[in-house]
Amino acid sequence: MQKLVLVLFFIIILSFSVNALIVITEIMYNPSGSSDNNKEFIEIYYDSWINLSNYSIEDLNGKDNDQLKQVKIDFNSSYALIVENGFDYNNINATVYTVGTQIGNDLKNDGDLIILRDNKSKVVDLVY
C-alpha cells in the first residue's frame, strides 16, 4: 500500500512538470533464460538529442543514485540506453550511458520503481 501511495504521489508531481521531452520507454529486467548480469537496460526517448551525463537513475530502494556516464554518442537517434558495465552495445543505434556494475540497487524482476533525475536532482520521469 505504501508503494502505491508513493507512486501516486510522484505521478501527481510529474503531472505539474513542464518537461515532457524525456521519457522512460522500456525497462529490461532479467532477460528470460539467462543471468541478468550485463543484460539489463533502461531505454529513454527524447524528441531532441540531449546529453544525459550527470543525470541519475535510482530504484525504489532509493539508496543508490547512479550517475550516468556517456560511453557512446548517436546524435541521429532519439533514444538512449542506460546499461551496466559489460553490456554489449556495439550494434545499438542510440546514445549509451553506463552506471557501473548494476542499475540502482539491481532491477527487481517482480516490480520496481525507476526514477530518472536531471543534474539538479529534479524528477524527469518515473515508471513503476
Side-chain angles (χ1 to χ4, degrees):
M1 181 65 173
Q2 289 177 338
K3 289 180 186 180
L4 179 60
V5 170
L6 180 64
V7 170
L8 291 174
F9 174 74
F10 279 117
I11 290 171
I12 291 168
I13 288 175
L14 286 176
S15 67
F16 293 106
S17 173
V18 296
N19 187 356
L21 303 174
I22 303 171
V23 181
I24 297 170
T25 53
E26 183 178 354
I27 301 169
M28 173 56 77
Y29 296 93
N30 183 8
S32 179
S34 67
S35 157
D36 64 1
N37 189 25
N38 306 326
K39 293 179 178 64
E40 294 182 333
F41 66 84
I42 297 171
E43 180 185 77
I44 306 291
Y45 169 81
Y46 36 67
D47 62 357
S48 61
W49 191 89
I50 183 170
N51 187 348
L52 300 176
S53 293
N54 297 319
Y55 277 48
S56 63
I57 198 85
E58 65 185 75
D59 60 6
L60 187 58
N61 186 320
K63 293 181 181 176
D64 293 322
N65 192 357
D66 297 323
Q67 296 291 309
L68 305 184
K69 295 173 188 70
Q70 191 175 72
V71 294
K72 179 182 176 184
I73 298 174
D74 186 341
F75 293 112
N76 296 316
S77 177
S78 297
Y79 291 91
L81 287 184
I82 301 170
V83 302
E84 303 168 320
N85 287 345
F87 186 95
D88 182 11
Y89 54 82
N90 290 316
N91 295 318
I92 301 292
N93 295 324
T95 299
V96 180
Y97 298 87
T98 186
V99 293
T101 57
Q102 62 186 25
I103 298 172
N105 192 32
D106 209 10
L107 299 178
K108 304 296 181 251
N109 296 336
D110 58 350
D112 211 340
L113 176 68
I114 306 300
I115 304 169
L116 178 66
R117 295 182 184 271
D118 68 12
N119 54 3
K120 295 179 179 135
S121 295
K122 179 183 171 193
V123 173
V124 175
D125 195 18
L126 62 84
V127 175
Y128 182 76

